[in-house]
Amino acid sequence: MSSLPDLVRGATFDDFLFTPQFSVIERRDPAAIDLSCRLSQRLSLKRPIVSANMDTITRSEMAIAVAEEGGIGIIDRGFRNGDIEPQVREVEKVKRRQHGIIADPYTIRDSATLNDASDAMRRTGVGTLVVLDDANRVTGLLTARDLRFTSRTSGLLVRDRMTPRERLIVSEGVVDGAAAEEVMRTHKIKKLPLVDGDGRLRGLITAKDLLKQRQLPFATRDAQGRLRVGAAIGAKGDYLERASELLRAGADVIVIDIAHGHSVVMGRAIDAFRRQFGDVELLAGNVATREGVQFLIERGVNGIKVGIGPGGGCTTRLNTNFGVPQLQALVECRMAVGDKIPLIADGGIRRDGAIIEALLFGGDTVMLGNAFAGTIETPGDTVHKSVVLPESQKVVRVPFKVFRGMASIGAMVDRLDVEDADTVDVDTLGAEGLEVSVPLRGSARPVIAGMLKHLTSSISYGGAATLGELKTMFWKNPERYLIKLSASGRKESFDR
Ligand code: XMP
């Protein structure tokens, strides 16, 4: 049999099946089978799913859903006018969503008015404020309940309505989740402020967060128990300022994402990034060749996005005739990096079975755009369109959401400065992406659950007990698994 690189030359997802092996798994249950993987050199995930940094796919809602299910979302940078601040806000929303210890809870002075407190609650969306005196010592807790039935003209101050320090249970020093749970159970409280020896605020633990942690054992969390999130930047213009703001907001990993990552522009951007931010976890892409990954490794990235042109919203290959079929790209890149650098298989996953292909041929994780299109966690408005039902010829109104490539005309125009957007001739932009309407189809969470279930079935068919084991078995003996499909074999397999 020819070597793996020869076999995959020119090949992509629908070109192979895997031969079923003797199964050793009794329960095809994602909760019981190890699907853990590496996103980058220092970040691991319990599930190999990454939502794509596209402006119709990943904002905070999607990033929260994916991280809670064990993967991670990368917040795109495609905001109107190319503004930095809205992207930073999306990162903040993810980091504040769920916490072990809230290191910087929202606070208010005890001398503030109840109106100030009410405004702060509305602005931040939280119902509990820790009350501090001028020396930042905790003097009480104020909840939305304390504001009930108080009028805006009452002139009352926070200290008049708060639960004062002497009636609060607080913990001094470092407290872990189990100890906090014990204190909350004993004293029947839902909020536990943490203070230092001088009574100054050090954090807050809430019962809701502790319960959430227990319900979501696979969630991707940082050392403080907050969900992890990534954020994308470009390689020109304000990208360093953007990175700085995103890191300040708590982004766990930065992705320098440009269409052609094996380029002078990328090299310069990584060098400048490293000079300014030291060894912050950095992903870069996209590339699809041995030379491409080597170029990025030499510049010291911690993970690499692989994929030139397989994406569902992508027209790069049509418009430029450049690109690499995705399985060829993955094998070539994997063989070039060995185990040194994790690879993200980015783009082209159109059915769940393609996920195990991407992972076996070289991806440590898969990045998904199209697979999440139309779910309620995607950003953008729902639009209703009239559709004629084929059987009855009846006209019904169907809800749709927009899915578009980041190099589509719409996405490019939205990123322009307002003044430029009014004057630019869109045909001259050289778009390399599509814009389509996708029927609305519920939450991304069951979509992920289905993918993981199918992934565990793949592991079972592959004769392994874990994802890692299947990868090892596949690379040791690819011939045992690979069936290159004929045109009719492909038809029998995938035409439905
Ligand atoms: P899927 O197939 O999951 O792929 O939708 C997501 C990936 O597609 C890439 N992408 C693009 N590629 N022109 C391109 O050439 C575009 O307009 C475009 N938009 C997204 C990107 O790598 C993404 O993660």
Side-chain angles (χ1 to χ4, degrees):
M1 195 175 184
S2 25
S3 70
L4 192 52
D6 289 340
L7 259 176
V8 297
R9 194 152 185 83
T12 194
F13 293 108
D14 289 357
D15 289 325
F16 293 96
L17 283 182
F18 299 129
T19 311
Q21 310 289 326
F22 178 67
S23 171
V24 294
I25 285 176
E26 297 195 28
R27 254 178 35 182
R28 298 178 185 193
D29 178 0
I33 293 173
D34 182 8
L35 301 175
S36 58
C37 60
R38 294 198 305 162
L39 172 75
S40 61
Q41 283 177 310
R42 281 166 298 187
L43 291 185
S44 295
L45 305 174
K46 296 204 175 78
R47 273 80 188 269
I49 306 289
V50 183
S51 69
N53 45 291
M54 300 174 74
D55 68 356
T56 52
I57 297 295
T58 309
R59 296 274 159 89
S60 55
E61 268 192 73
M62 180 64 75
I64 287 168
V66 179
E68 287 187 347
E69 300 301 327
I72 195 166
I74 312 294
I75 308 277
D76 75 281
R77 64 189 161 96
F79 289 83
R80 213 157 264 283
N81 283 338
D83 287 349
I84 294 175
E85 197 227 320
Q87 187 185 13
V88 171
R89 244 186 287 127
E90 293 300 302
V91 168
E92 281 170 352
K93 279 192 218 160
V94 182
K95 297 308 287 184
R96 283 196 169 271
R97 159 70 174 213
Q98 176 202 333
H99 320 258
I101 296 170
I102 307 170
D104 54 346
Y106 290 113
T107 60
I108 192 154
R109 295 267 169 236
D110 52 13
S111 53
T113 65
L114 287 191
N115 289 349
D116 294 335
S118 165
D119 293 344
M121 285 183 192
R122 196 162 333 112
R123 201 174 50 246
T124 58
V126 303
T128 303
L129 301 174
V130 183
V131 185
L132 305 178
D133 66 12
D134 290 339
N136 284 338
R137 283 184 301 252
V138 175
T139 57
L141 267 188
L142 187 80
T143 69
R145 230 177 341 162
D146 300 321
L147 302 185
R148 266 190 221 153
F149 309 119
T150 59
S151 87
R152 284 192 77 86
T153 54
S154 69
L156 286 171
L157 301 182
V158 167
R159 68 167 73 99
D160 301 324
R161 297 289 296 176
M162 68 187 189
T163 304
R165 172 74 174 80
E166 54 276 16
R167 293 212 330 259
L168 282 183
I169 306 294
V170 301
S171 280
E172 215 177 277
V174 182
V175 178
D176 66 15
E181 233 178 274
E182 183 57 36
V183 175
M184 288 184 181
R185 198 171 30 244
T186 309
H187 297 280
K188 297 186 187 165
I189 54 168
K190 291 184 180 160
K191 308 265 157 64
L192 180 65
L194 307 178
V195 295
D196 65 14
D198 298 324
R200 272 188 273 269
L201 182 65
R202 282 291 167 263
L204 179 71
I205 301 183
T206 74
K208 197 166 103 192
D209 290 334
L210 289 180
L211 282 174
K212 200 92 201 245
Q213 294 240 14
R214 227 194 274 165
Q215 286 157 5
L216 298 165
F218 296 99
T220 308
R221 296 199 181 90
D222 64 17
Q224 292 173 43
R226 301 176 302 175
L227 292 175
R228 284 201 192 275
V229 62
I233 61 171
K236 281 191 197 161
D238 62 7
Y239 69 104
L240 291 174
E241 184 193 345
R242 183 180 292 274
S244 162
E245 293 293 306
L246 292 166
L247 289 167
R248 194 188 44 72
D252 295 277
V253 56
I254 297 291
V255 185
I256 304 184
D257 180 69
I258 57 177
H260 189 18
H262 186 194
S263 58
V264 175
V265 178
M266 176 62 95
R268 217 165 26 217
I270 297 173
D271 292 346
F273 184 94
R274 284 292 184 223
R275 270 199 304 279
Q276 184 159 340
F277 302 108
D279 71 347
V280 161
E281 204 67 353
L282 179 67
L283 302 174
N286 280 17
V287 294
T289 60
R290 178 162 34 91
E291 294 80 5
V293 283
Q294 275 162 353
F295 173 80
L296 295 178
I297 290 174
E298 278 159 23
R299 269 148 199 87
V301 301
N302 307 109
I304 295 174
K305 227 147 67 83
V306 174
I308 302 282
C314 164
T315 58
T316 295
R317 294 184 191 168
L318 277 75
N319 294 327
T320 70
N321 226 72
F322 279 80
V324 183
Q326 185 69 341
L327 293 191
Q328 175 181 337
L330 287 169
V331 167
E332 187 171 325
C333 294
R334 171 56 59 204
M335 292 181 81
V337 303
D339 283 338
K340 210 156 59 186
I341 302 270
L343 301 179
I344 299 174
D346 178 17
I349 307 271
R350 293 191 182 82
R351 51 183 176 82
D352 287 0
I355 295 177
I356 190 64
E357 279 190 285
L359 297 175
L360 286 189
F361 282 99
D364 290 274
T365 55
V366 290
M367 179 173 262
L368 306 168
N370 189 42
F372 289 135
T375 59
I376 51 178
E377 288 85 355
T378 58
D381 296 332
T382 301
V383 290
H384 286 79
K385 290 189 183 180
S386 298
V387 172
V388 182
L389 293 177
E391 307 90 45
S392 58
Q393 294 296 302
K394 263 196 188 152
V395 178
V396 288
R397 298 282 287 167
V398 178
F400 282 87
K401 283 190 120 172
V402 168
F403 172 65
R404 65 187 186 188
M406 289 306 288
S408 63
I409 288 176
M412 288 170 88
V413 169
D414 275 357
R415 286 196 297 272
L416 292 173
D417 280 340
V418 175
E419 289 130 50
D420 296 348
D422 288 342
T423 53
V424 79
D425 174 358
V426 292
D427 290 335
T428 63
L429 285 174
E432 291 179 20
L434 291 172
E435 177 159 334
V436 291
S437 299
V438 183
L440 188 67
R441 60 187 177 119
S443 169
R445 290 171 198 265
V447 174
I448 297 172
M451 287 171 181
L452 297 176
K453 187 90 188 164
H454 289 145
L455 194 51
T456 56
S457 284
S458 300
I459 293 169
S460 171
Y461 277 116
T466 68
L467 176 59
E469 191 183 19
L470 183 55
K471 290 174 102 169
T472 309
M473 288 162 71
F474 175 80
W475 278 85
K476 213 187 252 172
N477 193 358
E479 298 96 280
R480 195 174 143 201
Y481 286 93
L482 284 180
I483 302 168
K484 184 134 195 193
L485 291 171
S486 64
S488 50
R490 188 173 311 123
K491 194 156 174 248
E492 180 188 82
S493 305
F494 305 124
D495 273 13
R496 292 291 180 273

